[in-house]
């Protein structure tokens, strides 16, 4: 870091590519380097400033006035480039436009509204775990549990029809890649953009949704005048974009954590009420959503560095969640810690609105497993699936030891 006469700090520069496949598959070394380089690092390859320390990431997340989302939370700057789809009314909007959709969806996904799902989801988890265990002790926990469970319960809760649900994960994979730069991962999906978008958009129509799901409630809010009828399908689209891959890879993170920390699994088995905290700790430890961008609405000074108006800022949520200045033994997955304050769900006005849904999925699945399984161990190297934004998985081969 160089300090100029005016007290303006020239940040360290790096030509590293945070979206290179090797980095996406193993991001921790880069996170450490960026945190240690300084509170702000200039990434020359993308002409953006990066924040990797908890203090600065947290401060940017809560300062929506100076760090806006409306120009997109990916690398593409909507002020200059056309978004690949109409911007999200929640994720890619700022107050006041952001507020009505947010209020409507918050109500629909709030804990009291989820109570009616608990019994059904609990039963679904018990049944799935019984069936998986009946197939023998060796399994791919990614495919058989982490991926299967959200797909089993979430689309029904939204009110989707039975056809084409296998488009959900590919659509999400594409959408989360699209927050990154136009690299090979984005290009690999390009041939499916039109087809997958058409399917998702069709599911957002009122006629496509059952009468008792989250989707129908969004449309009912439009009837009440809380939203316009033009906004309703876009809010449904947010559920379909944000609600599947995130939970699949969040549950994978939790299962991976327990497969590699048997003493923590023991602790969960003794105190199953720790399931929710365990999920939050897994979200902190793995950060399923690794990065998001903001755009400076004015020349913003961060730790002495001036980030120019209109430019993008890359926030490393995963790096902040393991910042040793904020967390004791940050690399340890530990149910004894209080993970609250982690930025894996973001922070501030955009903080994950679906987090109660995700926690409920995790709670019922982990407690069903904890009752029946004494130990989970890896039988082979788990495989990651590279994605520009998500810390995602391709396989998690394990052996489970059924409880006596
Ligand atoms: C944090 S993940 C995410 C949130 C919202 C949307 C997509 C992804 C959206 O489309 O609103």
């Amino acid at each position: 870091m160089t300090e100029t006469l005016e007290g303006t700090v020239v940040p360290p520069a790096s030509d590293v590519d945070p979206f290179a496949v090797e980095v996406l598959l193993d991001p921790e070394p880069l996170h450490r380097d960026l945190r240690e380089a300084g509170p702000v690092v200039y990434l020359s390859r993308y002409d953006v400033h990066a924040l990797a320390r908890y203090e600065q990431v947290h401060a940017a997340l809560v300062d929506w006035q100076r760090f806006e989302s409306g120009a997109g939370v990916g690398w593409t700057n909507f002020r200059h480039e056309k978004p690949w789809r109409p911007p999200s009314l929640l994720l890619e909007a700022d107050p006041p436009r952001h507020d009505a959709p947010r209020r409507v969806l918050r109500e629909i996904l709030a804990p009291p509204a989820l109570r009616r799902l608990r019994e059904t989801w609990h039963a679904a988890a018990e049944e799935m775990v019984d069936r998986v265990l009946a197939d023998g002790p060796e399994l791919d926990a990614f495919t058989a549990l982490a991926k299967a469970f959200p797909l089993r319960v979430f689309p029904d809760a939204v009110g989707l029809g039975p056809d084409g649900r296998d488009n959900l994960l590919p659509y999400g994979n594409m959408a989360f890649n699209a927050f990154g730069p136009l690299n090979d991962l984005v290009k690999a999906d390009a041939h499916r953009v039109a087809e997958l978008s058409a399917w998702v958009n069709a599911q957002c129509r009122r006629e496509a949704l059952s009468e008792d799901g989250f989707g129908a409630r969004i449309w009912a809010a439009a009837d009440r005048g809380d939203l316009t009828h033009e906004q309703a399908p876009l809010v449904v689209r947010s559920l379909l974009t944000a609600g599947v891959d995130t939970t699949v890879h969040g549950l994978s993170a939790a299962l991976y954590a327990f497969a590699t920390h048997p003493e923590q699994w023991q602790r969960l088995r003794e105190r199953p009420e720790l399931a929710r905290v365990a999920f939050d700790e897994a979200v902190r430890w793995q950060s399923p959503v690794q990065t998001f961008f903001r755009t400076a609405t004015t020349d913003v000074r961060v730790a002495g560095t001036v980030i120019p108006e209109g430019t993008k800022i890359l926030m490393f949520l995963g790096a902040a969640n393991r910042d040793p200045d904020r967390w004791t033994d940050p690399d340890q997955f530990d149910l004894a810690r209080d993970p609250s304050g982690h930025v894996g769900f973001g922070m501030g006005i955009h903080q994950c609105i679906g987090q109660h849904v995700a926690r409920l999925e995790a709670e019922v699945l982990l407690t069903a497993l904890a009752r029946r399984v004494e130990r989970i161990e890896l039988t082979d190297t788990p495989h990651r699936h590279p994605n520009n934004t998500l810390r995602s998985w391709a396989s998690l081969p394990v052996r489970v030891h059924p409880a006596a």
Side-chain angles (χ1 to χ4, degrees), residues 309-321:
E309 190 268 337
T311 66
K312 289 269 175 173
I313 299 106
L314 177 54
M315 305 177 300
F316 285 85
L317 308 178
N321 279 338

Side-chain angles (χ1 to χ4, degrees), residues 128 132 137-150 248 251-256 259 365 369 376-379 393-400:
M128 180 171 287
V132 165
E138 297 203 358
L139 59 127
D140 176 1
F142 170 72
T143 307
L145 295 169
K147 180 167 132 181
F149 189 65
V248 164
L251 292 173
S252 303
L255 295 172
Y256 172 66
L365 186 64
L369 271 173
I376 308 173
E377 62 179 337
L378 291 178
T379 51
W393 300 80
S395 71
L396 192 51
V398 299
R399 179 180 299 113
V400 295

Side-chain angles (χ1 to χ4, degrees), residues 41-204:
V41 181
Y42 178 69
L43 299 182
S44 53
R45 200 179 280 256
Y46 296 113
D47 189 25
V48 300
H49 288 85
L51 312 175
R53 295 184 183 175
Y54 182 89
E55 181 184 341
Q56 280 75 31
V57 169
H58 184 278
L61 283 169
V62 299
D63 187 354
W64 58 267
Q65 291 95 334
R66 295 193 302 166
F67 296 86
E68 71 167 352
S69 293
V73 299
W75 187 58
T76 302
N77 191 328
F78 296 175
R79 297 182 187 189
H80 311 299
E81 284 164 87
K82 192 173 173 297
W84 71 279
R85 60 176 196 170
S88 163
L89 301 178
L90 290 138
L91 184 73
E92 296 158 329
D94 301 295
R97 288 179 55 245
H98 160 267
D99 299 338
R102 171 95 187 177
R103 210 166 323 142
V104 164
L105 201 55
R106 185 178 52 216
E107 200 75 20
I108 292 169
L109 302 180
L114 302 183
R115 269 188 227 127
R116 68 186 178 98
L117 293 172
R118 179 176 224 101
E119 271 304 294
T120 321
W121 286 16
H122 173 77
E126 300 268 316
E127 188 199 283
M128 180 171 287
V129 169
D130 280 341
R131 188 157 32 80
V132 165
L133 294 184
D135 284 349
E138 297 203 358
L139 59 127
D140 176 1
F142 170 72
T143 307
L145 295 169
K147 180 167 132 181
F149 189 65
L151 286 174
R152 167 77 187 72
V153 297
F154 185 73
D156 285 347
V158 174
L160 289 193
D163 298 335
R165 291 178 174 199
D166 56 344
N167 287 320
L168 286 167
L169 283 169
Y171 181 81
N173 185 59
M174 181 174 87
F176 283 98
N177 272 329
F179 294 119
L182 214 174
N183 58 14
D184 289 348
L185 292 172
V186 175
K187 288 175 193 156
D189 289 336
H191 69 289
R192 297 199 70 188
V193 173
E195 163 219 347
L196 291 170
S197 301
W199 181 81
V200 162
N201 293 339
Q203 309 319 305
C204 298

Side-chain angles (χ1 to χ4, degrees), residues 40 42 57 60 165 194 226 234 286-287 302 323 337 343 371:
V40 181
Y42 178 69
V57 169
R165 291 178 174 199
D226 297 344
L234 275 177
Q286 289 288 300
S287 302
V302 178
D323 183 344
R337 90 161 75 237
V343 291
R371 254 196 299 281

